[in-house]
Amino acid sequence: MRPFHTFAMSFSSHPPLDLTDTAHPAGIEPETRGLYQSEPLTERPSHETFVDDLWAALLEYVGTTIFLLLAFGGVQATQGEANASTSFSEIERVMYISLCFGFGLVVSAWLFYRVTGGLFNPAVSLALLITGIIGPVRFVLYCIAQLLGSVTAAAIVLALSPGPLASK
């Protein structure tokens, strides 16, 4: 039986990376090349990058809404079950809420990671701004999208569930 890495490489249309080669193709310096490209990067107009930032912020809004909709829905379901039953222990309740938050984050990150990075939290966005991973425009758009997504998710859960929102 063939090892997995050779089996997986047989389906790839790209040759394997040669990490030992230090020469730059056609005299292009590494700073001007794309990650997987050998041609120089071209500067894009600022309006194109702003449109990309808007699109990413819209998807960050949708991802944050889905994440918190699943999480807040789980909290509401747990609270409703705790009110209706006396056999529901506190450990079961905490585990169920943790599972809802974890499952919501996994689903949202899996769906939106490639486009937005799957941040869903202004604190994470701030950390990426400080480290220089995202720019200030994308940071502001992400924070607005994340806050609006959280409010939207809470409003949907409030509209779909009877009684007040569970907050403890």
Side-chain angles (χ1 to χ4, degrees):
M1 183 165 198
R2 293 175 21 189
F4 176 73
H5 62 85
T6 59
F7 182 72
M9 291 304 289
S10 65
F11 290 107
S12 174
S13 61
H14 301 288
L17 286 174
D18 182 16
L19 300 177
T20 60
D21 183 22
T22 58
H24 304 297
I28 300 171
E29 294 302 314
E31 295 82 28
T32 61
R33 291 187 301 158
L35 188 58
Y36 298 108
Q37 304 167 354
S38 59
E39 66 272 357
L41 292 174
T42 58
E43 281 294 319
R44 293 178 17 182
S46 62
H47 71 277
E48 284 184 18
T49 56
F50 184 69
V51 170
D52 289 343
D53 289 345
L54 281 176
W55 179 247
L58 174 69
L59 292 176
E60 188 74 15
Y61 166 77
V62 172
T64 303
T65 303
I66 290 172
F67 162 49
L68 292 176
L69 183 65
L70 294 171
F72 294 162
V75 171
Q76 281 299 108
T78 304
Q79 186 64 32
E81 184 67 28
N83 291 342
S85 172
T86 59
S87 64
F88 202 63
S89 74
E90 186 65 24
I91 293 174
E92 289 174 329
R93 183 175 175 272
V94 169
M95 292 299 290
Y96 186 78
I97 290 172
S98 301
L99 181 65
C100 289
F101 271 85
F103 180 70
L105 185 58
V106 164
V107 167
S108 295
W110 182 55
L111 289 174
F112 297 100
Y113 174 74
R114 292 269 187 190
V115 180
T116 69
L119 306 180
F120 313 127
N121 185 340
V124 175
S125 299
L126 179 63
L128 292 180
L129 173 72
I130 290 170
T131 58
I133 304 295
I134 62 175
V137 173
R138 187 167 280 207
F139 167 72
V140 170
L141 291 173
Y142 271 13
C143 286
I144 292 169
Q146 291 160 352
L147 294 173
L148 288 176
S150 63
V151 170
T152 303
I156 292 171
V157 170
L158 178 63
L160 292 177
S161 60
L165 287 177
S167 60
K168 293 183 182 182

